[in-house]
Amino acid sequence: MGCMSSVAKVRRSNGNCVQVQAELVRVGGGPLGIRLQHGAGGVLVRDIDEHGVVGAWNAQHPSMKVCSGDRVIAVNSVPVDNSWASWCAILAELRKNSVRLVLSPGPVEESPADRAFGTREDSWASLDHLLPEDFMDTMARYTAKQCQVTECSICLEELDPESLVVQLPCSHAFHPRCAESWLTQCPTVKCATCPMCRHHMAPLQMIPRPRPRCSTVGHGQTTEP
C-alpha cells in the first residue's frame, strides 16, 4: 500500500474548513482502509483503518487528514450525491489502484439513529465490502456444452457449444464479459448476485465483523473498500 501527495491544501485555516484532496495509490492491491456510509446526506466517512492506504496518507499528511465525519465530494472527478447511481459509480472508482478523494471536512454530528445503530449487536450485518479486482478469476470456466447451456441469459445471445462461459457458485453460466458487467453494476459483495436466481457470489457470513473501535457505523448502505 502507499500514497502520494500532489495537492498541498491546508485542512483547516484559522478554524475554517476547506475542501481536502487526497491522492491514494494501492500497492499490491491493498485495501484503502476506509469505511463509508451512503444515505440521504450523501456519502460520509465513518472510520479509518490506520493500517490501510488512507491511514498511511494521514500519517504522512497530518494537516490534510481524512477523518471520520468528512463528507465525500468527488472520487476521481466523479461527483457524489445521495443517489444510488452516484453510489454505484463511486464504488467502481474506489476499486481502482489510483483514487483521488475530494472531501469536505467534518465532523458531522451523529443523529440518534446513527448512535442507536452503532449499539446493536447485529450492526455488522449492514456492512458491505468492495469486490476485489480479480474476483472473476475465482470463478470456474467451462464450455457451454459442459454446463448444458445454449444461451447467455444476460445478453440473450445463443452460445456455441464450445464457447467459454463462466459458472457462478449457483451453477448458472454466462459469457465472462456479461457476468462481469452484471456483477459490477454495484461492485460489492452483497450486491453481486446471479441475475437468474439472486444467489450471492459469497455467503454474507464471510463479511468480517467490525473491530470494536469501528462499531458505531451509521445506518444505511455502508461499505468498507
Side-chain angles (χ1 to χ4, degrees):
M1 62 184 176
C3 56
M4 63 182 183
S5 172
S6 66
V7 178
K9 291 186 178 180
V10 179
R11 182 178 178 82
R12 292 181 175 85
S13 177
N14 299 323
N16 297 320
C17 295
V18 297
Q19 286 189 1
V20 178
Q21 180 169 305
E23 299 275 354
L24 310 170
V25 178
R26 285 188 174 95
V27 177
L32 290 179
I34 186 172
R35 184 169 296 169
L36 302 175
Q37 176 194 343
H38 171 250
V43 176
L44 303 179
V45 177
R46 280 302 179 189
D47 192 47
I48 304 294
D49 183 348
E50 63 182 12
H51 301 296
V53 176
V54 176
W57 166 272
N58 286 348
Q60 296 176 28
H61 305 83
S63 67
M64 295 181 287
K65 282 186 176 181
V66 178
C67 298
S68 179
D70 287 354
R71 189 179 306 277
V72 183
I73 304 299
V75 181
N76 290 345
S77 300
V78 176
V80 176
D81 56 41
N82 62 357
S83 69
W84 182 254
S86 172
W87 179 238
C88 295
I90 67 167
L91 290 179
E93 295 301 317
L94 289 168
R95 295 177 71 226
K96 296 179 178 179
N97 284 330
S98 297
V99 177
R100 181 187 300 110
L101 289 178
V102 180
L103 309 103
S104 175
V108 175
E109 184 177 355
E110 284 189 324
S111 68
D114 290 338
R115 290 191 290 271
F117 183 89
T119 62
R120 297 205 310 263
E121 288 186 1
D122 63 341
S123 62
W124 72 277
S126 75
L127 292 176
D128 203 349
H129 291 258
L130 286 178
L131 291 173
E133 280 291 327
D134 60 351
F135 81 98
M136 288 291 295
D137 297 338
T138 66
M139 289 187 283
R141 282 169 167 74
Y142 302 101
T143 64
K145 181 179 180 181
Q146 289 174 309
C147 293
Q148 299 182 336
V149 291
T150 58
E151 180 185 74
C152 173
S153 297
I154 296 177
C155 69
L156 303 182
E157 287 186 4
E158 184 177 344
L159 292 168
D160 182 275
E162 298 304 317
S163 61
L164 190 68
V165 297
V166 63
Q167 189 176 58
L168 275 56
C170 57
S171 296
H172 289 120
F174 313 92
H175 284 131
R177 66 178 185 279
C178 293
E180 183 170 16
S181 177
W182 175 271
L183 295 169
T184 57
Q185 291 181 93
C186 184
T188 71
V189 172
K190 287 186 178 181
C191 291
T193 59
C194 172
M196 297 289 290
C197 65
R198 300 301 180 185
H199 181 84
H200 284 275
M201 287 294 300
L204 298 187
Q205 300 94 301
M206 290 181 63
I207 300 176
R209 291 178 178 271
R211 298 174 297 278
R213 70 181 185 86
C214 302
S215 60
T216 54
V217 295
H219 67 290
Q221 179 73 30
T222 308
T223 298
E224 190 173 65

